[in-house]
Amino acid sequence: MSRYFSKKFSNLIPYAPGEQPKDRRYLKLNTNESPFPPSEKTVKSVEDRLNRLQLYPDPESTEIIWAMAGMLKVKPGQLMITNGSDEVLNLAFMAYADENAPLVMPDITYGFYTSVADFNRIPYEEIPLGEDLTINPEDYMGIGKTIVIPNPNAPTGIALTIEEIEKIVSSNPDNIVIIDEAYVDFGAESCIQLINKYDNLIVSQTFSKSRSLAGARLGVAIANEEIIKDLNTLRFASNPYNINSLSGAIAVAAAEDNEYYMNNCKIIQENREYASQQLKNLGFRVTDSRTNFIFAESDRISGEELYLRLKEEKGILIRHFNKERIKNFNRITIGTREQMETLITGIKELLDTIG
């Protein structure tokens, strides 16, 4: 770091995205991207916007909001469109967490939470998952702090029920509860319906996973109208033109072509069950994932060795974490059936070499 870098960031540990090596062609199963391209309608949606890029995009994202409101069955005033769901999280943390309302989150979860909390100088507490890597709702009930929980959780893939989420929200009426639903379309239950019952709930979703648009950087906050006004106050103060014109057109088309994306989600769920069973047949422990990835460990090979050997010997990338409790696990993105077959074959071959 240069000598000019502000000392207030001297201890900041930035979020580490999944690796994107370019030294060879890899089968990428490490960053939870969709194996399917955007729909044809989504791709064509940008064509008439290309000759209007000299103009600023709509800072209100009006067209996107109306399309999303119809799809999600909420009021337009209950939505805010963002530059990826990470922007939802950043704005919500800034708006509702501080020394008087510190953050609370699981100890094994999305690494961006601690990074953005540190960036905003927000104190936080990490609540340990159970021995089975599940979130215990009782740990969050009536704690009087700002809560953020991904549902399903990442990297474990395990989901809470709507009833469990509601118990957390209802028992903390004076604090905001943020439910990050980045992976909800792969077999979990969304709690969007609860925003009409509780004014302290924010639901965050993304176009990156289930809608094959990780490169478009689109997210959405769903909450009651007053919460959305709060979040927009911060958004307009920091990044009013947060959605570029091309991504805006893509978002509208994706919302209108929702059936295509939900069908892809069903295929991914089928491939997840196939890959999970194959790994179990090889002696792996696999969590009950409701996401587009699986979380698995083996007694025959360490998590780090499996990750390294798949990368170096088979050209397959999976995600390994060094955190003590999960260092023997790997997170594996679900791809096409052919990609999953390639993965299973590669793992079998590695296991054969160690007896």
Side-chain angles (χ1 to χ4, degrees):
M1 296 180 183
S2 79
R3 60 191 177 92
Y4 307 103
F5 194 60
S6 174
K7 287 184 172 55
K8 66 184 178 183
F9 295 124
S10 60
N11 295 318
L12 182 65
I13 301 175
Y15 171 69
E19 61 185 323
Q20 305 274 6
K22 298 175 176 61
D23 57 316
R24 61 185 282 192
R25 186 179 181 87
Y26 288 96
L27 170 54
K28 282 185 82 274
L29 302 176
N30 68 321
T31 49
N32 298 341
E33 297 150 322
S34 174
F36 302 111
S39 70
E40 185 176 347
K41 179 177 181 178
T42 306
V43 173
K44 287 184 177 180
S45 68
V46 302
E47 292 178 357
D48 69 336
R49 303 295 176 100
L50 292 173
N51 61 355
R52 290 190 283 160
L53 291 180
Q54 76 275 20
L55 304 176
Y56 281 108
D58 175 13
E60 302 279 358
S61 297
T62 307
E63 190 178 4
I64 313 171
I65 283 177
W66 277 94
M68 289 295 295
M71 188 189 77
L72 297 174
K73 296 180 173 55
V74 298
K75 299 174 185 177
Q78 295 173 318
L79 296 176
M80 179 182 70
I81 308 301
T82 56
N83 192 315
S85 60
D86 287 343
E87 187 176 26
V88 177
L89 300 168
N90 186 37
L91 293 173
F93 284 17
M94 286 193 290
Y96 304 111
D98 53 28
E99 293 79 6
N100 296 318
L103 275 169
V104 175
M105 66 192 76
D107 68 330
I108 298 172
T109 194
Y110 181 28
F112 181 76
Y113 299 156
T114 56
S115 295
V116 75
D118 287 336
F119 182 84
N120 289 299
R121 296 184 170 185
I122 298 169
Y124 61 87
E125 173 188 349
E126 296 175 290
I127 297 180
L129 298 183
E131 289 299 316
D132 58 356
L133 300 181
T134 60
I135 292 172
N136 181 1
E138 299 292 331
D139 292 338
Y140 296 85
M141 292 178 64
I143 59 176
K145 299 175 183 178
T146 302
I147 298 168
V148 58
I149 294 175
N151 194 48
N153 194 14
T156 66
I158 302 171
L160 295 171
T161 66
I162 292 178
E163 292 75 20
E164 289 172 322
I165 294 293
E166 184 169 9
K167 288 179 181 178
I168 295 171
V169 176
S170 64
S171 69
N172 291 281
D174 298 320
N175 295 88
I176 291 292
V177 178
I178 306 160
I179 302 298
D180 182 358
E181 294 188 343
Y183 299 98
V184 74
D185 291 319
F186 299 102
E189 299 176 282
S190 174
C191 64
I192 288 176
Q193 60 183 281
L194 297 179
I195 67 167
N196 293 314
K197 189 174 180 180
Y198 300 99
D199 64 1
N200 61 324
L201 173 64
I202 299 173
V203 180
S204 170
Q205 291 192 2
T206 178
F207 287 69
S208 297
K209 316 299 182 184
S210 58
R211 289 178 177 79
S212 305
L213 292 172
R217 307 312 303 133
L218 288 159
V220 58
I222 309 109
N224 77 74
E225 290 92 335
E226 295 306 310
I227 294 295
I228 295 300
K229 289 177 183 178
D230 291 346
L231 297 176
N232 270 320
T233 296
L234 295 185
R235 182 176 70 81
F236 274 93
S238 59
N239 191 16
Y241 297 105
N242 64 332
I243 306 299
N244 69 74
S245 298
L246 301 185
S247 290
I250 287 170
V252 173
E256 293 174 347
D257 214 6
N258 192 50
E259 184 177 359
Y260 167 83
Y261 294 105
M262 293 304 100
N263 285 336
N264 286 343
C265 288
K266 292 177 182 177
I267 296 171
I268 289 172
Q269 290 177 64
E270 293 168 359
N271 293 345
R272 180 186 70 212
E273 298 315 306
Y274 163 79
S276 295
Q277 188 58 55
Q278 293 297 312
L279 287 174
K280 290 176 183 177
N281 292 343
L282 294 174
F284 279 77
R285 173 195 175 194
V286 182
T287 62
D288 182 20
S289 175
R290 291 292 180 267
T291 63
N292 68 337
F293 60 82
I294 49 183
F295 200 52
E297 69 168 346
S298 171
D299 292 333
R300 298 177 61 187
I301 186 170
S302 73
E304 183 176 24
E305 182 182 355
L306 179 61
Y307 152 71
L308 289 172
R309 293 189 62 184
L310 280 175
K311 177 181 177 180
E312 296 165 1
E313 300 175 31
K314 305 296 180 182
I316 300 174
L317 291 176
I318 59 177
R319 187 78 186 265
H320 180 254
F321 300 90
N322 291 318
K323 203 161 189 176
E324 183 63 29
R325 289 187 66 191
I326 57 172
K327 67 180 183 181
N328 203 45
F329 281 85
N330 284 295
R331 192 193 69 191
I332 304 169
T333 302
I334 301 301
T336 63
R337 180 59 65 93
E338 181 182 8
Q339 289 173 332
M340 294 296 94
E341 290 171 350
T342 299
L343 168 74
I344 297 301
T345 297
I347 292 176
K348 285 180 179 177
E349 290 173 352
L350 291 181
L351 293 177
D352 286 343
T353 66
I354 61 178

